[in-house]
Amino acid sequence: MSDQEKNEKKTDASQESPIQNGHSPRPPHIPDELLNMVGASPPKFVTFEQLMSAADDMKNMTLAHEIAVNNDFELPKEQTPQNSLEKQVSETMRRAFWDAFQEKIERDPPDYSMAFSLLEELKEVLVGILLPQQQRMKDQILEVLDMELIRQQIEQSAFNFDYYGTYVVDVMARLCAPARDEKIAEIRTIKEVVPKFKTIMETLQLMQRDMANFTIKQIRPYIQQNSIEYERKKFASFLEAQRAVSIDGLQYTKIWLKRIFENLQSNTQMQPNEAGASASPVFTPANIMTEAFLEVLEWPDPKNFPETLMMDQFRFMSMRDKLHSLALITSVQLLTYSVVGPAVDGVEDLKVKLKNHVEVLLQDVAEKGIGPVLESIAAQVGKDVNDSLTSRSLPPMTDESQQALRGQIKDLANRTNTVRKLMVNRLMGFMREGMSGKKMTNLRVPKGCSAVQHDLAQVFGNFLRLTSHNRSVFGEYYANIIERLLKGKEDQSSPRDSGGQDPSISNQHQPASSEHL
């Protein structure tokens, strides 16, 4: 077999549907920024610069998106795992630098070459964190930290560390956030040259992050106003880079929407029209997209996630987990009030206590598994109920009742459990009703969910904001995909004569405008 034939075979294999081969075709070793960009055997030569440019576009798009949708977003402090090789190497390099710095200035005569480089870097950092309107301070910094003058002072043995150290700290005190005042005061007490400048550099790194986060807050309204158009542009560039290597950048998005479309086809019952004949169910782009977004809240795993949702995958998965936690909380409450009966009806403080305790215990599911956690919940619920009964001078639950309640709570581990399915359906019904366009004030909290009303409203609010932003950015792609699905359905359902379309059919599906999504 020739190399060309081998390559063609590899290419065909790489383009198999994930439904056919049962595995996610995404190679785990490819970084997120390059996900789906590089095929197994590209049929067309693409330069490294093109790929990296596309990766940079995605990084910029992701950052802009994060700032736009997350009001709490800020640059975090860099943290490397304890005892990791990266941390050990980093600490070793820092220690080596400051040891070399100490050794050079202790020579006779002192070697100030590293001191000169350090001051040059300090000047750049100080100027870099200034705001545009602080031109006067910038001019002063450039005047005092005149590197040519400092070089002459070093050559003439007239260099004064204390003078420049004091000046740098004074500038930092004027620029830093109040939270750094304590650190500035600490630096002023340090007399030794190396420890002083080491602490200055560490504090400046913190100040750089402070200034970056301050800048993000200042420009967030502008980014939010322009992020939709910006994300559209960057995603279009991303798709173009994928097309260059013959990869469909919307592969999983198409699979996702097609599955929803087919589910609607199979689940929607044929409704009789006015004449008594059967009529096809109405499929609107908005209805398809609503069901598609709702399906994400029950997504089984992160594999084969739609490309258009990838930037918010962790948010959607977090909402999914929260919603199912609320379903378990309300299921436990429903079982408790059903088994115990009138003795606890209307006892609001018990309802709140059950909610809080169950919510805390459910946080251990990832570590312990749902079975052991539900056993702990059953024990805690029994205690909470008996405490409530005792506080109101009522007899505690009988052993028989406690055993029945414990067994029913443990059965919630099964996703097909009747009570659990009921509460999931109620919560999803609330989300579906909210997605239909009703105002929050007109939405009715599902029966049995009053204890989680605040949490449910928070999940829905975040979900609605995220899906609205997503529709605004990717609506055109969704519209084109749904239009093809609708045309395919129309072609299959349209009666035909000897090669022509039935002339009695006059109502055709209009192209799915992104405005209708």
Side-chain angles (χ1 to χ4, degrees):
M1 183 182 290
S2 68
D3 291 340
Q4 183 177 0
E5 290 173 333
K6 290 179 180 178
N7 287 338
E8 290 175 352
K9 188 173 182 180
K10 287 180 181 178
T11 302
D12 292 339
S14 70
Q15 294 176 345
E16 286 183 1
S17 166
I19 296 177
Q20 293 173 340
N21 60 32
H23 298 285
S24 170
R26 297 180 173 176
H29 59 280
I30 294 183
D32 291 343
E33 296 83 22
L34 299 178
L35 207 59
N36 282 337
M37 279 191 179
V38 186
S41 178
K44 177 181 177 182
F45 180 75
V46 181
T47 66
F48 178 76
E49 287 75 14
Q50 286 176 302
L51 289 175
M52 293 313 297
S53 174
D56 286 340
D57 280 346
M58 287 305 295
K59 285 182 180 178
N60 294 336
M61 175 182 170
T62 302
L63 179 59
H65 177 80
E66 190 69 24
I67 294 172
V69 302
N70 182 5
N71 289 331
D72 298 322
F73 172 79
E74 61 178 25
L75 299 177
K77 180 181 179 181
E78 292 185 14
Q79 292 183 339
T80 51
Q82 290 290 339
N83 302 322
S84 66
L85 179 61
E86 181 184 356
K87 188 175 183 66
Q88 292 175 15
V89 170
S90 177
E91 290 180 349
T92 300
M93 294 295 290
R94 286 196 182 102
R95 193 161 48 247
F97 173 83
W98 294 112
D99 287 347
F101 188 22
Q102 182 78 50
E103 188 270 331
K104 284 180 178 292
I105 64 173
E106 288 179 348
R107 291 180 183 177
D108 188 14
D111 180 351
Y112 290 126
S113 58
M114 291 183 70
F116 181 84
S117 300
L118 182 61
L119 281 173
E120 192 169 31
E121 183 176 352
L122 283 171
K123 181 187 73 171
E124 292 175 359
V125 173
L126 288 173
V127 170
I129 62 177
L130 292 175
L131 297 173
Q133 61 267 30
Q134 294 175 305
Q135 184 62 42
R136 182 178 298 179
M137 184 175 288
K138 178 181 178 181
D139 294 339
Q140 185 193 67
I141 292 172
L142 295 177
E143 180 182 349
V144 175
L145 296 180
D146 183 339
M147 300 315 298
E148 186 57 37
L149 176 61
I150 292 174
R151 187 191 304 276
Q152 293 174 12
Q153 290 176 349
I154 290 174
E155 291 173 352
Q156 297 170 11
S157 301
F159 181 66
N160 188 337
F161 254 125
D162 289 339
Y163 170 76
Y164 289 106
T166 301
Y167 174 75
V168 169
V169 175
D170 287 344
V171 173
M172 291 169 62
R174 295 164 64 185
L175 295 176
C176 73
R180 306 297 176 199
D181 288 346
E182 188 175 337
K183 196 69 176 177
I184 297 297
E186 176 190 334
I187 296 174
R188 294 189 191 278
T189 64
I190 302 174
K191 302 303 181 184
E192 297 82 1
V193 171
V194 173
K196 189 181 191 77
F197 276 84
K198 180 182 178 182
T199 311
I200 285 174
M201 291 300 294
E202 291 172 350
T203 307
L204 274 175
Q205 289 179 347
L206 298 176
M207 289 176 60
Q208 282 180 301
R209 193 174 78 249
D210 292 342
M211 184 56 67
N213 288 329
F214 173 77
T215 304
I216 287 172
K217 288 181 180 179
Q218 296 301 305
I219 66 173
R220 177 173 284 118
Y222 173 80
I223 290 179
Q224 288 173 332
Q225 283 181 338
N226 297 276
S227 65
I228 291 174
E229 191 59 39
Y230 180 79
E231 288 180 42
R232 284 176 184 164
K233 180 180 177 181
K234 292 301 181 184
F235 192 74
S237 299
F238 171 69
L239 292 182
E240 186 61 34
Q242 292 187 308
R243 277 193 289 270
V245 290
S246 297
I247 293 177
D248 183 359
L250 293 171
Q251 176 185 2
Y252 298 105
T253 302
K254 292 174 181 176
I255 293 173
W256 169 50
L257 294 180
K258 183 180 179 184
R259 180 173 62 249
I260 296 301
F261 181 80
E262 291 174 346
N263 287 344
L264 285 174
Q265 275 189 313
S266 61
N267 294 336
T268 305
Q269 303 239 338
M270 304 292 284
Q271 299 292 336
N273 59 19
E274 294 180 0
S278 293
S280 297
V282 177
F283 291 90
T284 66
N287 185 35
I288 294 171
M289 284 311 307
T290 294
E291 293 303 316
F293 282 126
L294 288 171
E295 189 204 46
V296 176
L297 293 175
E298 299 184 277
W299 203 272
D301 59 58
K303 292 182 180 179
N304 303 335
F305 210 67
E307 296 87 350
T308 53
L309 303 181
M310 193 61 73
M311 288 189 297
D312 292 310
Q313 182 179 19
F314 81 95
R315 289 191 181 89
F316 282 118
M317 293 300 93
S318 177
M319 292 178 193
R320 175 201 66 180
D321 295 343
K322 181 65 176 179
L323 207 60
H324 283 273
S325 292
L326 297 181
L328 284 170
I329 291 170
T330 52
S331 296
V332 169
Q333 289 183 331
L334 182 61
L335 289 173
T336 301
Y337 280 81
S338 174
V339 171
V340 181
V344 292
D345 280 350
V347 183
E348 287 300 320
D349 60 339
L350 175 61
K351 186 183 293 186
V352 173
K353 185 179 289 187
L354 288 176
K355 186 259 183 185
N356 292 337
H357 287 169
V358 174
E359 187 173 34
V360 169
L361 291 171
L362 283 174
Q363 294 175 7
D364 295 332
V365 167
E367 179 182 348
K368 299 179 180 179
I370 187 66
V373 167
L374 285 174
E375 288 186 14
S376 300
I377 288 174
Q380 184 63 50
V381 168
K383 180 180 182 305
D384 289 342
V385 171
N386 281 331
D387 288 347
S388 175
L389 294 172
T390 302
S391 69
R392 291 178 288 118
S393 302
L394 295 173
M397 284 191 296
T398 63
D399 291 342
E400 191 175 307
S401 294
Q402 289 198 58
Q403 201 63 29
L405 180 57
R406 182 184 296 268
Q408 291 188 44
I409 289 177
K410 290 169 65 176
D411 286 344
L412 293 174
N414 189 343
R415 286 182 176 271
T416 61
N417 176 275
T418 304
V419 175
R420 183 173 173 178
K421 284 180 62 178
L422 172 66
M423 299 317 297
V424 168
N425 289 338
R426 286 181 180 178
L427 294 173
M428 291 299 293
F430 175 86
M431 301 293 286
R432 180 174 286 103
E433 187 178 7
M435 293 286 284
S436 68
K438 283 190 177 182
K439 294 181 179 179
M440 283 290 292
T441 52
N442 296 331
L443 288 177
R444 184 178 301 174
V445 178
K447 186 177 180 181
C449 298
S450 60
V452 298
Q453 178 176 347
H454 175 76
D455 302 83
L456 181 58
Q458 191 174 51
V459 171
F460 173 71
N462 292 335
F463 184 71
L464 186 62
R465 188 179 74 251
L466 213 57
T467 53
S468 296
H469 183 89
N470 186 274
R471 288 185 184 191
S472 297
V473 175
F474 302 108
E476 183 179 351
Y477 301 107
Y478 295 147
N480 291 336
I481 295 170
I482 291 173
E483 181 183 351
R484 287 194 289 271
L485 291 170
L486 291 172
K487 283 184 176 179
K489 171 182 176 296
E490 182 180 81
D491 291 343
Q492 293 173 8
S493 61
S494 298
R496 296 179 180 274
D497 52 23
S498 58
Q501 184 173 330
D502 191 333
S504 65
I505 298 177
S506 58
N507 293 328
Q508 301 294 323
H509 279 293
Q510 297 298 317
S513 169
S514 61
E515 295 179 357
H516 299 148
L517 297 178

